[in-house]
């Protein structure tokens, strides 16, 4: 059995699942997710047009599956990257800025689908008006930068009541039951971020991953603590807020970005990659309330397979339970 939704029909992927394009995560993650039949996402943050062109050309020649890229609006300086991405990939997606019809037109002009991650009903309606093909509703439970202040279920409900393009759900989803739950409410798919940090392909630091594995939902905190370079609310592990408050130097460590080693300033927005040295525990350890469901590091393809097989089973069990509940006698 596979779950077919308006999202899988639109994108042409097998599974109604997307990994979040995550800041500095390795492109190996999105590629593995695409190969596994979900929508794999890359991160376009801080990439210049020539670098993106060179990186995408082999993927254009031999696509691994359905693949998209995420751009963070505060860092999108050269719209040429959008054109390059749209000509090479299946989906171009934006986050953290007002939905922009001009950008959506550029995406469509290059032949890709356009998507926007939104944090409120108003933003969802603006994304529809801008011409997006699908949107992602992000609840305040989400890890990383958080756009709105509403929890996923009420946000999803508001959006689904008003929007007639496919809506994915994001924030706090870390297991098959969570995926089945949002599909049952009417989402056309799920987007998971923190769950995919705990994969060998993500490229994140082992200590960060270890802390995610041992954390509970209540160990995450919504804060603006890590606002160096970008002042915006985000959700991280509480432990890194405590650690950075106690740290008494301006540089917490160093990290390799591309072929350069860079300092990681205190309160920097950069999450620790595997190469990070220094006080990794005082860097931005982004994590959603989904941490509760993350107990092991799993290869991304295996994770996609397990999550989707579990969601299919869960939905089957939910259907049988609903049938029996709906058929229950109300005679007194
Ligand atoms: C480490 C990390 C980095 C993230 N970076 C981005 C990003 O660059 N662009 C984006 O649209 N969302 C980003 N997000 C947020 C995700 O898109 C998504 O909303 C979130 O991960 C969903 O919640 P979850 O982490 O509980 O699954 C990031 C999330 C995490 C955990």
């Amino acid at each position: 059995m596979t779950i077919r939704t308006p999202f899988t029909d639109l994108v042409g992927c097998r599974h109604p699942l997307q990994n979040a394009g995550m800041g500095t995560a390795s492109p190996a993650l999105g590629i593995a997710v695409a190969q596994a039949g979900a929508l794999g996402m890359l991160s376009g943050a801080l990439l210049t047009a020539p670098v993106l062109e060179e990186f995408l050309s082999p993927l254009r020649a031999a696509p691994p599956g359905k693949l998209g890229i995420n751009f963070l609006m505060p860092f999108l300086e050269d719209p040429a990257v959008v054109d390059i991405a749209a000509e090479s990939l299946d989906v171009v997606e934006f986050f953290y800025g007002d939905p922009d019809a001009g950008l959506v037109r550029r995406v469509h002009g290059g032949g890709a689908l356009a998507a926007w991650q939104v944090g409120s009903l108003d933003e969802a309606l603006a994304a529809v008006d801008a011409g997006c093909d699908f949107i992602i509703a992000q609840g305040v439970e989400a890890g990383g930068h958080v756009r709105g202040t509403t929890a996923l279920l009420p946000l999803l409900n508001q959006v689904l009541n008003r929007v007639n393009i496919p809506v994915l759900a994001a924030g706090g989803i870390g297991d098959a039951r969570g995926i089945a739950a949002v599909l049952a409410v009417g989402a056309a798919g799920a987007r998971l971020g923190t769950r995919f940090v705990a994969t060998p392909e993500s490229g994140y630091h082992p200590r960060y991953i270890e802390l995610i594995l041992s954390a509970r939902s209540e160990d995450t905190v919504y804060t603006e603590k890590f606002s160096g370079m970008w002042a915006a609310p985000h959700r991280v592990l509480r432990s890194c807020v405590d650690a950075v408050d106690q740290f008494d130097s301006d540089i917490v460590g160093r990290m390799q970005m591309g072929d350069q080693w860079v300092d990681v300033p205190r309160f920097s927005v950069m999450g620790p990659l595997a190469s990070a040295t220094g006080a990794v525990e005082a860097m931005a350890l982004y994590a959603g309330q989904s941490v509760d469901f993350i107990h092991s590091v799993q290869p991304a393809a295996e994770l996609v397979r397990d999550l989707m097989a579990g969601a299919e089973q869960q939905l089957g069990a939910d259907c049988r339970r609903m049938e029996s509940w709906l058929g229950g006698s109300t005679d007194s």
Side-chain angles (χ1 to χ4, degrees):
M1 183 170 72
T2 52
I3 304 170
R4 184 175 165 190
T5 73
F7 169 76
T8 58
D9 284 350
L10 177 72
V11 174
C13 52
R14 196 160 68 243
H15 299 303
L17 178 68
Q18 178 197 34
N19 69 290
M22 296 184 286
T24 50
S26 164
L29 174 60
I31 291 170
V33 169
Q35 282 167 340
L39 173 59
M41 293 298 295
L42 309 169
S43 166
L46 304 176
L47 290 182
T48 60
V51 170
L52 187 64
E53 177 73 64
E54 192 185 329
F55 172 71
L56 291 181
S57 84
L59 292 173
R60 193 165 28 207
K66 296 298 173 181
L67 194 62
I69 194 164
N70 173 273
F71 291 112
L72 289 169
M73 292 294 284
F75 298 101
L76 183 62
E77 282 167 9
D78 178 6
V81 292
V82 174
D83 302 330
I84 294 167
E87 282 162 17
S88 311
L89 298 169
D90 301 290
V91 171
V92 179
E93 177 200 275
F94 305 92
F95 184 44
Y96 238 98
D98 292 337
D100 178 333
L103 280 177
V104 171
R105 270 196 300 276
R106 287 183 97 116
V107 173
H108 288 158
L113 296 167
W116 216 282
Q117 182 168 231
V118 302
S120 66
L121 174 60
D122 285 350
E123 201 177 20
L125 296 175
V128 173
D129 284 349
C132 287
D133 300 288
F134 69 93
I135 56 174
I136 304 98
Q138 186 204 44
V140 73
E141 305 91 326
H145 284 79
V146 180
R147 185 65 172 158
T149 51
T150 306
L152 178 60
L153 184 57
L155 177 65
L156 199 52
N157 230 328
Q158 291 168 7
V159 171
L160 289 170
N161 280 337
R162 296 285 300 279
V163 157
N164 57 9
I165 58 174
V167 178
L168 302 194
I173 306 168
D175 66 355
R177 184 191 290 275
I179 295 172
V182 294
L183 292 172
V185 172
R191 170 198 189 95
L192 277 59
T194 311
R195 184 64 193 88
F196 282 103
V197 171
T199 59
E201 292 91 345
S202 75
Y204 282 111
H205 197 282
R207 181 63 184 144
Y208 170 27
I209 294 177
E210 207 174 275
L211 289 168
I212 283 181
L213 297 184
S214 59
R216 307 292 311 270
S217 298
E218 52 271 32
D219 299 327
T220 70
V221 61
Y222 174 87
T223 177
E224 294 199 22
K225 185 62 77 175
F226 294 91
S227 284
M229 275 170 79
W230 180 18
H234 42 270
R235 184 175 295 279
V236 292
L237 295 177
R238 188 187 306 277
S239 63
C240 69
V241 173
D242 297 341
V244 77
D245 278 341
Q246 281 159 27
F247 198 79
D248 67 357
S249 163
D250 290 342
I251 303 293
V252 290
R254 284 177 69 71
M255 187 157 89
Q256 190 172 14
M257 305 276 290
D259 50 12
Q260 285 190 329
W261 279 87
V262 294
D263 285 341
V264 181
R266 191 177 178 212
F267 307 121
S268 163
V269 75
M270 287 187 277
L273 292 173
S275 61
T277 59
V280 168
E281 295 183 14
M283 296 182 189
L285 305 182
Y286 298 112
Q289 292 185 357
S290 47
V291 285
D292 240 310
F293 312 106
I294 309 176
H295 308 298
S296 64
V297 177
Q298 233 185 322
E302 190 185 297
L303 178 58
V304 168
R305 207 180 47 233
D306 286 0
L307 285 171
M308 293 318 303
E312 285 155 16
Q313 265 183 12
Q314 181 68 44
L315 279 174
D318 289 346
C319 283
R320 289 188 292 279
R321 182 163 38 82
M322 282 304 144
E323 263 176 65
S324 88
W325 284 5
L326 288 169
S329 166
T330 53
D331 293 352
S332 50

